[in-house]
PDB file of all heavy atoms in Angstrom:
ATOM      1  N   PRO A  21     100.082 113.103 116.916  1.00 89.00           N
ATOM      2  CA  PRO A  21      99.390 112.141 117.787  1.00 89.00           C
ATOM      3  C   PRO A  21      97.977 111.878 117.277  1.00 89.00           C
ATOM      4  O   PRO A  21      97.292 112.809 116.826  1.00 89.00           O
ATOM      5  CB  PRO A  21      99.380 112.849 119.142  1.00 89.00           C
ATOM      6  CG  PRO A  21     100.499 113.840 119.076  1.00 89.00           C
ATOM      7  CD  PRO A  21     100.547 114.300 117.653  1.00 89.00           C
ATOM      8  N   ALA A  22      97.554 110.640 117.353  1.00 89.00           N
ATOM      9  CA  ALA A  22      96.214 110.294 116.891  1.00 89.00           C
ATOM     10  C   ALA A  22      95.142 111.063 117.655  1.00 89.00           C
ATOM     11  O   ALA A  22      94.066 111.340 117.116  1.00 89.00           O
ATOM     12  CB  ALA A  22      95.986 108.792 117.022  1.00 89.00           C
ATOM     13  N   SER A  23      95.451 111.433 118.885  1.00 89.00           N
ATOM     14  CA  SER A  23      94.481 112.172 119.696  1.00 89.00           C
ATOM     15  C   SER A  23      94.166 113.552 119.120  1.00 89.00           C
ATOM     16  O   SER A  23      93.130 114.137 119.427  1.00 89.00           O
ATOM     17  CB  SER A  23      95.004 112.323 121.129  1.00 89.00           C
ATOM     18  OG  SER A  23      96.242 113.014 121.149  1.00 89.00           O
ATOM     19  N   GLN A  24      95.071 114.091 118.280  1.00 91.00           N
ATOM     20  CA  GLN A  24      94.843 115.398 117.666  1.00 91.00           C
ATOM     21  C   GLN A  24      94.101 115.283 116.336  1.00 91.00           C
ATOM     22  O   GLN A  24      93.788 116.308 115.722  1.00 91.00           O
ATOM     23  CB  GLN A  24      96.179 116.112 117.442  1.00 91.00           C
ATOM     24  CG  GLN A  24      96.919 116.467 118.711  1.00 91.00           C
ATOM     25  CD  GLN A  24      98.184 117.246 118.445  1.00 91.00           C
ATOM     26  OE1 GLN A  24      98.353 117.860 117.385  1.00 91.00           O
ATOM     27  NE2 GLN A  24      99.102 117.239 119.402  1.00 91.00           N
ATOM     28  N   LEU A  25      93.842 114.077 115.902  1.00 91.00           N
ATOM     29  CA  LEU A  25      93.231 113.877 114.587  1.00 91.00           C
ATOM     30  C   LEU A  25      91.985 113.009 114.689  1.00 91.00           C
ATOM     31  O   LEU A  25      91.761 112.114 113.874  1.00 91.00           O
ATOM     32  CB  LEU A  25      94.251 113.239 113.635  1.00 91.00           C
ATOM     33  CG  LEU A  25      95.402 114.152 113.202  1.00 91.00           C
ATOM     34  CD1 LEU A  25      96.534 113.347 112.601  1.00 91.00           C
ATOM     35  CD2 LEU A  25      94.906 115.201 112.210  1.00 91.00           C
ATOM     36  N   ARG A  26      91.176 113.277 115.684  1.00 89.00           N
ATOM     37  CA  ARG A  26      89.935 112.535 115.856  1.00 89.00           C
ATOM     38  C   ARG A  26      88.846 113.181 115.001  1.00 89.00           C
ATOM     39  O   ARG A  26      88.246 114.183 115.387  1.00 89.00           O
ATOM     40  CB  ARG A  26      89.533 112.512 117.326  1.00 89.00           C
ATOM     41  CG  ARG A  26      90.462 111.656 118.184  1.00 89.00           C
ATOM     42  CD  ARG A  26      90.144 111.759 119.645  1.00 89.00           C
ATOM     43  NE  ARG A  26      91.015 110.899 120.437  1.00 89.00           N
ATOM     44  CZ  ARG A  26      91.204 111.034 121.745  1.00 89.00           C
ATOM     45  NH1 ARG A  26      90.558 111.987 122.413  1.00 89.00           N
ATOM     46  NH2 ARG A  26      92.013 110.214 122.390  1.00 89.00           N
ATOM     47  N   HIS A  27      88.638 112.603 113.842  1.00 89.00           N
ATOM     48  CA  HIS A  27      87.651 113.147 112.911  1.00 89.00           C
ATOM     49  C   HIS A  27      87.257 112.036 111.937  1.00 89.00           C
ATOM     50  O   HIS A  27      88.078 111.185 111.581  1.00 89.00           O
ATOM     51  CB  HIS A  27      88.236 114.334 112.148  1.00 89.00           C
ATOM     52  CG  HIS A  27      87.192 115.184 111.482  1.00 89.00           C
ATOM     53  ND1 HIS A  27      86.590 114.811 110.296  1.00 89.00           N
ATOM     54  CD2 HIS A  27      86.648 116.389 111.829  1.00 89.00           C
ATOM     55  CE1 HIS A  27      85.716 115.750 109.948  1.00 89.00           C
ATOM     56  NE2 HIS A  27      85.730 116.712 110.849  1.00 89.00           N
ATOM     57  N   GLU A  28      86.009 112.037 111.494  1.00 88.00           N
ATOM     58  CA  GLU A  28      85.554 110.988 110.589  1.00 88.00           C
ATOM     59  C   GLU A  28      86.290 111.023 109.252  1.00 88.00           C
ATOM     60  O   GLU A  28      86.448 109.985 108.595  1.00 88.00           O
ATOM     61  CB  GLU A  28      84.051 111.088 110.361  1.00 88.00           C
ATOM     62  CG  GLU A  28      83.573 112.403 109.772  1.00 88.00           C
ATOM     63  CD  GLU A  28      82.058 112.441 109.640  1.00 88.00           C
ATOM     64  OE1 GLU A  28      81.501 111.452 109.108  1.00 88.00           O
ATOM     65  OE2 GLU A  28      81.451 113.431 110.057  1.00 88.00           O
ATOM     66  N   VAL A  29      86.756 112.200 108.836  1.00 89.00           N
ATOM     67  CA  VAL A  29      87.541 112.290 107.606  1.00 89.00           C
ATOM     68  C   VAL A  29      88.847 111.514 107.757  1.00 89.00           C
ATOM     69  O   VAL A  29      89.275 110.779 106.856  1.00 89.00           O
ATOM     70  CB  VAL A  29      87.826 113.756 107.236  1.00 89.00           C
ATOM     71  CG1 VAL A  29      88.861 113.846 106.115  1.00 89.00           C
ATOM     72  CG2 VAL A  29      86.540 114.458 106.819  1.00 89.00           C
ATOM     73  N   VAL A  30      89.493 111.663 108.916  1.00 90.00           N
ATOM     74  CA  VAL A  30      90.731 110.934 109.183  1.00 90.00           C
ATOM     75  C   VAL A  30      90.453 109.439 109.255  1.00 90.00           C
ATOM     76  O   VAL A  30      91.222 108.627 108.710  1.00 90.00           O
ATOM     77  CB  VAL A  30      91.380 111.440 110.491  1.00 90.00           C
ATOM     78  CG1 VAL A  30      92.600 110.595 110.852  1.00 90.00           C
ATOM     79  CG2 VAL A  30      91.777 112.904 110.349  1.00 90.00           C
ATOM     80  N   ASP A  31      89.363 109.056 109.914  1.00 87.00           N
ATOM     81  CA  ASP A  31      89.007 107.636 109.996  1.00 87.00           C
ATOM     82  C   ASP A  31      88.838 107.044 108.599  1.00 87.00           C
ATOM     83  O   ASP A  31      89.268 105.915 108.319  1.00 87.00           O
ATOM     84  CB  ASP A  31      87.715 107.457 110.792  1.00 87.00           C
ATOM     85  CG  ASP A  31      87.875 107.813 112.262  1.00 87.00           C
ATOM     86  OD1 ASP A  31      89.033 107.844 112.743  1.00 87.00           O
ATOM     87  OD2 ASP A  31      86.854 108.076 112.923  1.00 87.00           O
ATOM     88  N   ALA A  32      88.201 107.815 107.704  1.00 85.00           N
ATOM     89  CA  ALA A  32      88.006 107.338 106.333  1.00 85.00           C
ATOM     90  C   ALA A  32      89.336 107.203 105.606  1.00 85.00           C
ATOM     91  O   ALA A  32      89.550 106.253 104.852  1.00 85.00           O
ATOM     92  CB  ALA A  32      87.080 108.293 105.578  1.00 85.00           C
ATOM     93  N   MET A  33      90.235 108.151 105.824  1.00 87.00           N
ATOM     94  CA  MET A  33      91.542 108.091 105.167  1.00 87.00           C
ATOM     95  C   MET A  33      92.357 106.895 105.659  1.00 87.00           C
ATOM     96  O   MET A  33      93.075 106.261 104.885  1.00 87.00           O
ATOM     97  CB  MET A  33      92.319 109.390 105.403  1.00 87.00           C
ATOM     98  CG  MET A  33      91.786 110.584 104.639  1.00 87.00           C
ATOM     99  SD  MET A  33      92.819 112.042 104.868  1.00 87.00           S
ATOM    100  CE  MET A  33      91.995 113.208 103.776  1.00 87.00           C
ATOM    101  N   VAL A  34      92.241 106.597 106.942  1.00 85.00           N
ATOM    102  CA  VAL A  34      92.920 105.414 107.479  1.00 85.00           C
ATOM    103  C   VAL A  34      92.311 104.156 106.879  1.00 85.00           C
ATOM    104  O   VAL A  34      93.020 103.224 106.476  1.00 85.00           O
ATOM    105  CB  VAL A  34      92.835 105.397 109.016  1.00 85.00           C
ATOM    106  CG1 VAL A  34      93.354 104.078 109.566  1.00 85.00           C
ATOM    107  CG2 VAL A  34      93.642 106.559 109.601  1.00 85.00           C
ATOM    108  N   GLU A  35      90.976 104.129 106.810  1.00 80.00           N
ATOM    109  CA  GLU A  35      90.287 102.974 106.236  1.00 80.00           C
ATOM    110  C   GLU A  35      90.675 102.754 104.778  1.00 80.00           C
ATOM    111  O   GLU A  35      90.827 101.621 104.320  1.00 80.00           O
ATOM    112  CB  GLU A  35      88.770 103.185 106.344  1.00 80.00           C
ATOM    113  CG  GLU A  35      87.912 102.164 105.608  1.00 80.00           C
ATOM    114  CD  GLU A  35      88.000 100.765 106.190  1.00 80.00           C
ATOM    115  OE1 GLU A  35      88.386 100.643 107.372  1.00 80.00           O
ATOM    116  OE2 GLU A  35      87.711  99.810 105.464  1.00 80.00           O
ATOM    117  N   GLN A  36      90.889 103.860 104.039  1.00 78.00           N
ATOM    118  CA  GLN A  36      91.243 103.769 102.626  1.00 78.00           C
ATOM    119  C   GLN A  36      92.735 103.536 102.418  1.00 78.00           C
ATOM    120  O   GLN A  36      93.196 103.362 101.293  1.00 78.00           O
ATOM    121  CB  GLN A  36      90.831 105.059 101.906  1.00 78.00           C
ATOM    122  CG  GLN A  36      89.341 105.316 101.896  1.00 78.00           C
ATOM    123  CD  GLN A  36      88.666 104.769 100.662  1.00 78.00           C
ATOM    124  OE1 GLN A  36      89.280 104.563  99.641  1.00 78.00           O
ATOM    125  NE2 GLN A  36      87.371 104.540 100.753  1.00 78.00           N
ATOM    126  N   GLY A  37      93.527 103.556 103.495  1.00 80.00           N
ATOM    127  CA  GLY A  37      94.961 103.335 103.361  1.00 80.00           C
ATOM    128  C   GLY A  37      95.746 104.568 102.980  1.00 80.00           C
ATOM    129  O   GLY A  37      96.935 104.482 102.676  1.00 80.00           O
ATOM    130  N   VAL A  38      95.111 105.740 103.003  1.00 85.00           N
ATOM    131  CA  VAL A  38      95.802 106.980 102.647  1.00 85.00           C
ATOM    132  C   VAL A  38      96.652 107.473 103.822  1.00 85.00           C
ATOM    133  O   VAL A  38      97.729 108.029 103.626  1.00 85.00           O
ATOM    134  CB  VAL A  38      94.775 108.059 102.226  1.00 85.00           C
ATOM    135  CG1 VAL A  38      95.456 109.378 101.900  1.00 85.00           C
ATOM    136  CG2 VAL A  38      93.985 107.569 101.019  1.00 85.00           C
ATOM    137  N   LEU A  39      96.153 107.300 105.032  1.00 88.00           N
ATOM    138  CA  LEU A  39      96.913 107.552 106.254  1.00 88.00           C
ATOM    139  C   LEU A  39      97.022 106.237 107.014  1.00 88.00           C
ATOM    140  O   LEU A  39      96.239 105.320 106.785  1.00 88.00           O
ATOM    141  CB  LEU A  39      96.205 108.585 107.145  1.00 88.00           C
ATOM    142  CG  LEU A  39      95.934 109.963 106.550  1.00 88.00           C
ATOM    143  CD1 LEU A  39      95.157 110.823 107.562  1.00 88.00           C
ATOM    144  CD2 LEU A  39      97.218 110.669 106.144  1.00 88.00           C
ATOM    145  N   TYR A  40      97.996 106.142 107.910  1.00 81.00           N
ATOM    146  CA  TYR A  40      98.019 104.954 108.758  1.00 81.00           C
ATOM    147  C   TYR A  40      98.436 105.308 110.175  1.00 81.00           C
ATOM    148  O   TYR A  40      99.141 106.278 110.422  1.00 81.00           O
ATOM    149  CB  TYR A  40      98.903 103.845 108.181  1.00 81.00           C
ATOM    150  CG  TYR A  40     100.388 104.059 108.268  1.00 81.00           C
ATOM    151  CD1 TYR A  40     101.096 103.728 109.421  1.00 81.00           C
ATOM    152  CD2 TYR A  40     101.093 104.572 107.190  1.00 81.00           C
ATOM    153  CE1 TYR A  40     102.468 103.916 109.500  1.00 81.00           C
ATOM    154  CE2 TYR A  40     102.463 104.758 107.257  1.00 81.00           C
ATOM    155  CZ  TYR A  40     103.143 104.424 108.412  1.00 81.00           C
ATOM    156  OH  TYR A  40     104.503 104.610 108.479  1.00 81.00           O
ATOM    157  N   ARG A  41      97.919 104.493 111.084  1.00 82.00           N
ATOM    158  CA  ARG A  41      98.213 104.664 112.498  1.00 82.00           C
ATOM    159  C   ARG A  41      99.425 103.823 112.856  1.00 82.00           C
ATOM    160  O   ARG A  41      99.547 102.679 112.419  1.00 82.00           O
ATOM    161  CB  ARG A  41      97.021 104.229 113.357  1.00 82.00           C
ATOM    162  CG  ARG A  41      95.750 105.005 113.092  1.00 82.00           C
ATOM    163  CD  ARG A  41      94.609 104.483 113.949  1.00 82.00           C
ATOM    164  NE  ARG A  41      93.347 105.092 113.588  1.00 82.00           N
ATOM    165  CZ  ARG A  41      92.891 106.222 114.114  1.00 82.00           C
ATOM    166  NH1 ARG A  41      93.613 106.844 115.034  1.00 82.00           N
ATOM    167  NH2 ARG A  41      91.732 106.725 113.736  1.00 82.00           N
ATOM    168  N   GLN A  42     100.293 104.376 113.679  1.00 79.00           N
ATOM    169  CA  GLN A  42     101.479 103.644 114.121  1.00 79.00           C
ATOM    170  C   GLN A  42     101.543 103.684 115.638  1.00 79.00           C
ATOM    171  O   GLN A  42     101.438 104.756 116.249  1.00 79.00           O
ATOM    172  CB  GLN A  42     102.744 104.259 113.517  1.00 79.00           C
ATOM    173  CG  GLN A  42     104.015 103.481 113.847  1.00 79.00           C
ATOM    174  CD  GLN A  42     105.215 104.026 113.096  1.00 79.00           C
ATOM    175  OE1 GLN A  42     105.184 105.149 112.613  1.00 79.00           O
ATOM    176  NE2 GLN A  42     106.257 103.236 113.000  1.00 79.00           N
ATOM    177  N   LEU A  43     101.668 102.520 116.234  1.00 71.00           N
ATOM    178  CA  LEU A  43     101.723 102.421 117.682  1.00 71.00           C
ATOM    179  C   LEU A  43     103.087 102.865 118.176  1.00 71.00           C
ATOM    180  O   LEU A  43     104.120 102.428 117.668  1.00 71.00           O
ATOM    181  CB  LEU A  43     101.450 100.981 118.124  1.00 71.00           C
ATOM    182  CG  LEU A  43     101.272 100.746 119.634  1.00 71.00           C
ATOM    183  CD1 LEU A  43     100.052 101.496 120.145  1.00 71.00           C
ATOM    184  CD2 LEU A  43     101.151  99.264 119.921  1.00 71.00           C
ATOM    185  N   GLN A  44     103.107 103.750 119.160  1.00 65.00           N
ATOM    186  CA  GLN A  44     104.342 104.217 119.784  1.00 65.00           C
ATOM    187  C   GLN A  44     104.279 103.861 121.262  1.00 65.00           C
ATOM    188  O   GLN A  44     103.460 104.373 122.002  1.00 65.00           O
ATOM    189  CB  GLN A  44     104.513 105.727 119.602  1.00 65.00           C
ATOM    190  CG  GLN A  44     104.695 106.134 118.157  1.00 65.00           C
ATOM    191  CD  GLN A  44     104.937 107.626 118.011  1.00 65.00           C
ATOM    192  OE1 GLN A  44     104.349 108.443 118.712  1.00 65.00           O
ATOM    193  NE2 GLN A  44     105.808 107.991 117.095  1.00 65.00           N
ATOM    194  N   GLY A  45     105.165 102.962 121.665  1.00 60.00           N
ATOM    195  CA  GLY A  45     105.084 102.475 123.027  1.00 60.00           C
ATOM    196  C   GLY A  45     103.926 101.508 123.156  1.00 60.00           C
ATOM    197  O   GLY A  45     103.538 100.831 122.206  1.00 60.00           O
ATOM    198  N   ARG A  46     103.343 101.434 124.326  1.00 61.00           N
ATOM    199  CA  ARG A  46     102.277 100.460 124.569  1.00 61.00           C
ATOM    200  C   ARG A  46     100.891 101.004 124.293  1.00 61.00           C
ATOM    201  O   ARG A  46      99.967 100.233 124.045  1.00 61.00           O
ATOM    202  CB  ARG A  46     102.346  99.972 126.010  1.00 61.00           C
ATOM    203  CG  ARG A  46     103.619  99.180 126.328  1.00 61.00           C
ATOM    204  CD  ARG A  46     103.550  98.578 127.713  1.00 61.00           C
ATOM    205  NE  ARG A  46     104.704  97.731 128.001  1.00 61.00           N
ATOM    206  CZ  ARG A  46     104.868  97.064 129.131  1.00 61.00           C
ATOM    207  NH1 ARG A  46     103.954  97.148 130.087  1.00 61.00           N
ATOM    208  NH2 ARG A  46     105.948  96.316 129.306  1.00 61.00           N
ATOM    209  N   SER A  47     100.732 102.333 124.343  1.00 65.00           N
ATOM    210  CA  SER A  47      99.374 102.848 124.241  1.00 65.00           C
ATOM    211  C   SER A  47      99.230 104.048 123.313  1.00 65.00           C
ATOM    212  O   SER A  47      98.142 104.325 122.838  1.00 65.00           O
ATOM    213  CB  SER A  47      98.860 103.243 125.633  1.00 65.00           C
ATOM    214  OG  SER A  47      99.711 104.206 126.228  1.00 65.00           O
ATOM    215  N   LYS A  48     100.299 104.765 123.037  1.00 79.00           N
ATOM    216  CA  LYS A  48     100.192 105.971 122.223  1.00 79.00           C
ATOM    217  C   LYS A  48     100.233 105.625 120.742  1.00 79.00           C
ATOM    218  O   LYS A  48     100.972 104.754 120.314  1.00 79.00           O
ATOM    219  CB  LYS A  48     101.322 106.946 122.559  1.00 79.00           C
ATOM    220  CG  LYS A  48     101.225 107.525 123.968  1.00 79.00           C
ATOM    221  CD  LYS A  48     102.323 108.550 124.211  1.00 79.00           C
ATOM    222  CE  LYS A  48     102.209 109.151 125.611  1.00 79.00           C
ATOM    223  NZ  LYS A  48     103.286 110.134 125.870  1.00 79.00           N
ATOM    224  N   GLU A  49      99.409 106.338 119.972  1.00 85.00           N
ATOM    225  CA  GLU A  49      99.370 106.155 118.529  1.00 85.00           C
ATOM    226  C   GLU A  49      99.678 107.470 117.836  1.00 85.00           C
ATOM    227  O   GLU A  49      99.284 108.538 118.314  1.00 85.00           O
ATOM    228  CB  GLU A  49      97.990 105.677 118.074  1.00 85.00           C
ATOM    229  CG  GLU A  49      97.717 104.218 118.312  1.00 85.00           C
ATOM    230  CD  GLU A  49      96.410 103.793 117.675  1.00 85.00           C
ATOM    231  OE1 GLU A  49      95.483 104.633 117.610  1.00 85.00           O
ATOM    232  OE2 GLU A  49      96.308 102.639 117.238  1.00 85.00           O
ATOM    233  N   SER A  50     100.386 107.383 116.732  1.00 88.00           N
ATOM    234  CA  SER A  50     100.591 108.547 115.882  1.00 88.00           C
ATOM    235  C   SER A  50     100.027 108.242 114.509  1.00 88.00           C
ATOM    236  O   SER A  50      99.800 107.082 114.146  1.00 88.00           O
ATOM    237  CB  SER A  50     102.078 108.895 115.768  1.00 88.00           C
ATOM    238  OG  SER A  50     102.789 107.854 115.116  1.00 88.00           O
ATOM    239  N   ILE A  51      99.766 109.279 113.742  1.00 90.00           N
ATOM    240  CA  ILE A  51      99.254 109.126 112.385  1.00 90.00           C
ATOM    241  C   ILE A  51     100.257 109.734 111.423  1.00 90.00           C
ATOM    242  O   ILE A  51     100.749 110.839 111.632  1.00 90.00           O
ATOM    243  CB  ILE A  51      97.870 109.775 112.232  1.00 90.00           C
ATOM    244  CG1 ILE A  51      96.846 108.989 113.068  1.00 90.00           C
ATOM    245  CG2 ILE A  51      97.438 109.826 110.780  1.00 90.00           C
ATOM    246  CD1 ILE A  51      95.439 109.499 112.970  1.00 90.00           C
ATOM    247  N   ARG A  52     100.556 108.986 110.378  1.00 86.00           N
ATOM    248  CA  ARG A  52     101.525 109.403 109.371  1.00 86.00           C
ATOM    249  C   ARG A  52     100.911 109.309 107.982  1.00 86.00           C
ATOM    250  O   ARG A  52      99.908 108.628 107.773  1.00 86.00           O
ATOM    251  CB  ARG A  52     102.783 108.531 109.432  1.00 86.00           C
ATOM    252  CG  ARG A  52     103.509 108.582 110.761  1.00 86.00           C
ATOM    253  CD  ARG A  52     104.743 107.678 110.753  1.00 86.00           C
ATOM    254  NE  ARG A  52     105.434 107.658 112.023  1.00 86.00           N
ATOM    255  CZ  ARG A  52     106.344 108.544 112.405  1.00 86.00           C
ATOM    256  NH1 ARG A  52     106.667 109.524 111.576  1.00 86.00           N
ATOM    257  NH2 ARG A  52     106.929 108.461 113.576  1.00 86.00           N
ATOM    258  N   LEU A  53     101.578 109.982 107.060  1.00 87.00           N
ATOM    259  CA  LEU A  53     101.163 109.960 105.660  1.00 87.00           C
ATOM    260  C   LEU A  53     102.228 109.184 104.885  1.00 87.00           C
ATOM    261  O   LEU A  53     103.332 109.682 104.683  1.00 87.00           O
ATOM    262  CB  LEU A  53     101.048 111.402 105.142  1.00 87.00           C
ATOM    263  CG  LEU A  53     100.409 111.668 103.787  1.00 87.00           C
ATOM    264  CD1 LEU A  53     100.009 113.124 103.689  1.00 87.00           C
ATOM    265  CD2 LEU A  53     101.343 111.311 102.634  1.00 87.00           C
TER     266      LEU A  53
END
Side-chain angles (χ1 to χ4, degrees):
S23 59
Q24 295 184 21
L25 290 164
R26 290 174 178 162
H27 197 282
E28 59 183 312
V29 169
V30 174
D31 293 341
M33 288 184 177
V34 172
E35 171 67 21
Q36 296 267 337
V38 178
L39 301 177
Y40 73 84
R41 300 178 187 271
Q42 184 173 18
L43 189 63
Q44 295 183 322
R46 295 187 176 182
S47 58
K48 293 183 179 179
E49 282 187 328
S50 64
I51 293 182
R52 300 179 182 275
L53 190 162

